[in-house]
Amino acid sequence: MTEVHPQFGVPMTESQYAEEWSRSADAFFSAGHYSWMCNQLGKAARVIEIGSGSGASTQALLGQDRQVLVIESNPYCAD
């Protein structure tokens, strides 16, 4: 998909998206956003995470001793 969208430009490739998301996720993790997210889940022992990106949010969930089923369709993010 390389068509230029009049408002958004050229879409990122899967690898570009994974790289960009990794940087954002690291910043969110460092700022405590994922810890806050985990605390909103109450005492849920099992979580399904759809679109885990680089896995920073998954790390936060696992850090709270939760069982996590992760679904990620971007192979570069899954790596």
Side-chain angles (χ1 to χ4, degrees):
M1 183 186 233
T2 58
E3 291 183 32
V4 176
H5 186 280
Q7 186 176 1
F8 302 114
V10 178
M12 284 190 245
T13 64
E14 288 179 326
S15 63
Q16 289 170 324
Y17 176 85
E19 187 176 314
E20 181 70 25
W21 185 248
S22 181
R23 283 192 296 272
S24 296
D26 289 345
F28 295 155
F29 188 88
S30 295
H33 297 315
Y34 291 133
S35 293
W36 174 87
M37 174 197 70
C38 291
N39 291 334
Q40 303 312 301
L41 298 173
K43 296 184 183 213
R46 289 184 249 168
V47 177
I48 298 174
E49 183 179 16
I50 300 171
S52 60
S54 62
S57 54
T58 308
Q59 286 181 314
L61 290 162
L62 293 171
Q64 290 191 350
D65 294 326
R66 299 176 193 266
Q67 292 179 351
V68 184
L69 172 64
V70 176
I71 300 170
E72 177 54 64
S73 64
N74 183 329
Y76 295 95
C77 287
D79 281 343

